[in-house]
Amino acid sequence: MKAYRLLTEEDTSAFCHKVTEALSKGWVLYGDPAYAFDAATGKMRCAQAVVKDVAGDYAPDVKLGAL
């Protein structure tokens, strides 16, 4: 199956670390990153979609971060 995750974080180095960790575990960037203002917190947020081909079938209880 092809697994999909949308990684999000405030615009800090924590976002880069989150994406780097996913890449090191075999996830692949999917599309362009997004950058938007979060009015609730007054901070900028980043988002990046990643995908990964894994064995097995999809189930709603799959822990995507553990793949």
Side-chain angles (χ1 to χ4, degrees):
M1 86 168 169
K2 185 172 290 279
Y4 170 92
R5 294 173 66 194
L6 181 63
L7 306 175
T8 63
E9 184 67 54
E10 287 183 7
D11 182 22
T12 67
S13 63
F15 175 72
C16 295
H17 286 282
K18 186 182 281 191
V19 174
T20 300
E21 179 182 23
L23 295 174
S24 74
K25 293 181 176 181
W27 292 85
V28 177
L29 299 176
Y30 183 79
D32 295 328
Y35 191 63
F37 182 70
D38 181 349
T41 64
K43 298 182 180 182
M44 295 301 290
R45 293 194 60 86
C46 300
Q48 175 65 59
V50 292
V51 294
K52 183 178 185 181
D53 288 319
V54 296
D57 295 323
Y58 171 75
D61 60 343
V62 169
K63 302 292 184 201
L64 297 171
L67 296 177

